[in-house]
Amino acid sequence: QQQVKQSPQSLIVQKGGISIINCAYENTAFDYFPWYQQFPGKGPALLIAIRPDVSEKKEGRFTISFNKSAKQFSLHIMDSQPGDSATYFCAASNGNSNYQLIWGAGTKLIIKP
Amino acid sequence: DAGVTQSPTHLIKTRGQQVTLRCSPKSGHDTVSWYQQALGQGPQFIFQYYEEEERQRGNFPDRFSGHQFPNYSSELNVNALLLGDSALYLCASSLTGRAEQFFGPGTRLTVL
């Protein structure tokens, strides 16, 4: 019940296209859903996050869509650029467990010029 | 603001040895969490420190221990190293009660 399932494992998108990564969770106690971006040899960087009382959040080219009833959330990267090539992780946490992050397995995104 | 810093960057140890990794949180943050990230996988939560005490622990053996100092910096200690302990060890800092966690660059530990 603590798992976060992420798909796809890898994704190739043409420059200028839309990249979409999906995550699903089981634990309805989760109340915070962040996305992290990680480049090789670096630590994860917080990209964007959402709470379950909101169905969508947009920051620049990055949008999170959240479906509470389906227990799913997704990251959309608009106008994808080669510099977006990285591994993306979804995660989930809740305040009752001091926001201990439960992570998806990651998606390796490659943007082709 | 220097952000979260970790040392050392890389470390090579042999089986059975012990290791200490260090972390300094972002200015103003009082909570430090440690994660282990095996190659090609998502991070796994090890434990969290607040007010110099372990507040939350993941599914890791007692060989993994930690400490938090009065200035909020933290150490992760691993005893009796196994080959399977080879991973990137990540430190994240946050403000207690807040969900956002910010990560350092990690320490790459290789156990031979």
Side-chain angles (χ1 to χ4, degrees):
Chain A
Q1 203 183 21
Q2 281 288 86
Q3 281 186 323
V4 176
K5 294 183 180 179
Q6 184 173 345
S7 63
Q9 190 173 4
S10 62
L11 182 62
I12 300 174
V13 175
Q14 289 293 129
K15 179 183 173 182
I18 303 173
S19 304
I20 302 174
I21 304 170
N22 301 297
C23 284
Y25 64 97
E26 290 294 324
N27 187 351
T28 55
F30 288 143
D31 61 8
Y32 176 73
F33 302 87
W35 285 90
Y36 283 85
Q37 178 190 58
Q38 187 175 32
F39 293 104
K42 305 293 184 184
L46 181 61
L47 202 56
I48 187 173
I50 199 167
R51 295 274 187 175
D53 54 345
V54 175
S55 61
E56 186 175 281
K57 183 174 181 181
K58 184 177 181 179
E59 289 184 3
R61 297 185 294 110
F62 301 92
T63 300
I64 299 179
S65 296
F66 188 84
N67 186 329
K68 189 173 180 179
S69 60
K71 292 185 283 187
Q72 295 175 349
F73 59 110
S74 59
L75 175 69
H76 291 62
I77 306 174
M78 313 299 287
D79 188 26
S80 299
Q81 299 297 312
D84 296 331
S85 297
T87 299
Y88 292 80
F89 291 94
C90 62
S93 67
N94 79 79
N96 291 336
S97 63
N98 296 306
Y99 295 111
Q100 162 192 337
L101 287 167
I102 307 300
W103 297 74
T107 296
K108 185 170 183 179
L109 174 64
I110 297 172
I111 307 301
K112 290 190 120 179
Chain B
D1 183 4
V4 181
T5 60
Q6 291 187 244
S7 64
T9 306
H10 295 90
L11 206 51
I12 300 176
K13 292 285 187 179
T14 56
R15 280 180 297 173
Q17 286 189 312
Q18 73 94 26
V19 67
T20 297
L21 312 181
R22 295 176 176 83
C23 171
S24 290
K26 262 173 79 81
S27 176
H29 284 183
D30 57 8
T31 301
V32 172
S33 302
W34 286 92
Y35 293 81
Q36 179 195 65
Q37 186 178 23
L39 202 60
Q41 298 182 23
Q44 298 289 319
F45 175 77
I46 302 175
F47 43 53
Q48 183 183 89
Y49 275 84
Y50 171 67
E51 289 192 337
E52 302 180 49
E53 293 200 355
E54 183 182 292
R55 178 163 72 174
Q56 197 86 18
R57 189 177 183 94
N59 189 24
F60 278 79
D62 291 346
R63 298 187 298 108
F64 290 77
S65 63
H67 189 77
Q68 186 180 35
F69 300 93
N71 67 352
Y72 307 119
S73 67
S74 177
E75 287 181 349
L76 164 65
N77 302 292
V78 187
N79 294 323
L81 284 167
L82 303 174
L83 295 179
D85 295 332
S86 295
L88 181 68
Y89 287 85
L90 297 163
C91 167
S93 81
S94 58
L95 193 56
T96 193
R98 296 292 300 269
E100 298 84 4
Q101 293 187 28
F102 298 90
F103 284 80
T107 293
R108 171 69 63 187
L109 172 65
T110 302
V111 182
L112 302 177

